[in-house]
Amino acid sequence: CCVCGQSGATIICCVENCNRWFHLPCAKEGGCITQYITPYSSYCPEHRPEQDVQVTPEPGTECPICMEPVEDRKTFKTMVCPACKRAWFHRDCIQAGAIPSAPGHSRASLTLLLFALQGQAIRAGALFFQCPLCRDIKEFLAQMFIMGIRIPFRQPTWEDNDAFADLGERHSRCNAKKCLCPGGREEAEEEGPWELLLCSSCAAEGTHRRCSGLRKRIHHWECDSC
């Protein structure tokens, strides 16, 4: 292995006549790159692709994911968005969310912060992976694939198990202090005295027309909170 010097390396640099081998676990430490797209090419530190963006970060530039300073130039560990050329970030943050320890932070708080930030690429998936600053997808995604960021071809993890299914449900209950509807608060008709109007500001509360004394020509109603 060209990184650790031990035997058993199974990955070889794809550049012709390059005889450098490395272990997959050693790739990150040694600055090797594997592209997780067909034909799944791997590169040693000498032949790995580099970003063709002629720009350097301003002094004090911080990674928008972990809010820690980045290096003063493009390196294996420091990358830049090819679209806006203003978003500089750590490779670990965009791929796996590594966060350096900081004095004064409890272990629990660091664990929660790490969980919140880790794996932007892993969590977002190919359909929603974008620059954390300018939100570009097309150019940013293509560049990250080339630079060896592993981006799954699937829906984002926040869509798992219909996590936000409740957001698509319409409020369907009369919240008047005294509901007059014979069928109860859950009953609603398309028109007439038992038509259910939702608050025009929050849509989180509703009322039957008769329960709030709303005439037929009134089409907008606001709850007491709004």
Side-chain angles (χ1 to χ4, degrees), residues 64-65 80-84 87 89 93-95 119-145 149 151 156 158:
I65 301 175
V80 62
C81 172
C84 67
F89 42 85
C93 289
I94 208 70
Q95 176 68 88
Q120 178 173 337
I122 299 300
R123 289 185 292 109
L127 296 179
F128 288 87
F129 187 50
Q130 57 191 2
C131 169
L133 187 61
C134 73
R135 304 304 181 189
D136 176 82
I137 292 181
K138 186 176 181 180
E139 190 174 356
F140 182 78
L141 184 65
Q143 182 89 135
M144 294 302 105
F145 273 128
I149 300 299
I151 311 164
W158 55 78

Side-chain angles (χ1 to χ4, degrees), residues 14-160:
C14 67
V15 175
E16 189 176 358
N17 298 324
C18 180
N19 197 33
R20 291 184 178 86
W21 292 74
F22 53 91
H23 300 105
L24 182 59
C26 295
K28 177 182 173 184
E29 179 184 350
C32 306
I33 281 181
T34 294
Q35 296 174 342
Y36 293 91
I37 51 176
T38 307
Y40 297 94
S41 303
S42 296
Y43 299 87
C44 70
E46 181 178 341
H47 297 120
R48 71 189 181 208
E50 296 184 358
Q51 288 192 278
D52 187 22
V53 181
Q54 304 304 317
V55 63
T56 55
E58 296 289 335
T61 297
E62 295 180 345
C63 169
I65 301 175
C66 71
M67 305 306 294
E68 293 290 334
V70 297
E71 297 177 84
D72 58 0
R73 59 188 176 87
K74 299 191 303 293
T75 66
F76 175 75
K77 295 181 178 180
T78 297
M79 308 170 72
V80 62
C81 172
C84 67
K85 300 178 178 63
R86 294 185 296 112
W88 290 82
F89 42 85
H90 303 113
R91 172 182 288 269
D92 279 346
C93 289
I94 208 70
Q95 176 68 88
I99 299 177
S101 299
H105 285 199
S106 68
R107 182 174 181 179
S109 64
L110 283 176
T111 301
L112 289 174
L113 185 57
L114 176 58
F115 179 78
L117 296 178
Q118 70 179 356
Q120 178 173 337
I122 299 300
R123 289 185 292 109
L127 296 179
F128 288 87
F129 187 50
Q130 57 191 2
C131 169
L133 187 61
C134 73
R135 304 304 181 189
D136 176 82
I137 292 181
K138 186 176 181 180
E139 190 174 356
F140 182 78
L141 184 65
Q143 182 89 135
M144 294 302 105
F145 273 128
I146 293 173
M147 296 305 296
I149 300 299
R150 184 165 68 91
I151 311 164
F153 288 92
R154 57 158 174 74
Q155 289 288 337
T157 56
W158 55 78
E159 296 286 352
D160 292 350

Side-chain angles (χ1 to χ4, degrees), residues 102-219:
H105 285 199
S106 68
R107 182 174 181 179
S109 64
L110 283 176
T111 301
L112 289 174
L113 185 57
L114 176 58
F115 179 78
L117 296 178
Q118 70 179 356
Q120 178 173 337
I122 299 300
R123 289 185 292 109
L127 296 179
F128 288 87
F129 187 50
Q130 57 191 2
C131 169
L133 187 61
C134 73
R135 304 304 181 189
D136 176 82
I137 292 181
K138 186 176 181 180
E139 190 174 356
F140 182 78
L141 184 65
Q143 182 89 135
M144 294 302 105
F145 273 128
I146 293 173
M147 296 305 296
I149 300 299
R150 184 165 68 91
I151 311 164
F153 288 92
R154 57 158 174 74
Q155 289 288 337
T157 56
W158 55 78
E159 296 286 352
D160 292 350
N161 301 318
D162 293 325
F164 297 96
D166 291 345
L167 295 179
E169 295 184 3
R170 185 178 186 271
H171 186 78
S172 58
R173 177 182 174 83
C174 175
N175 297 103
K177 291 181 179 180
K178 184 178 181 180
C179 180
L180 306 175
C181 182
R185 295 182 180 274
E186 307 293 338
E187 184 73 19
E189 298 178 357
E190 293 186 4
E191 57 181 21
W194 310 125
E195 179 185 357
L196 187 69
L197 296 183
L198 299 187
C199 175
S200 57
S201 293
C202 70
E205 293 192 17
T207 181
H208 294 116
R209 286 187 177 275
R210 179 167 294 180
C211 297
S212 295
L214 304 177
R215 298 180 180 181
K216 186 176 181 179
R217 66 173 181 269
I218 297 177
H219 299 286

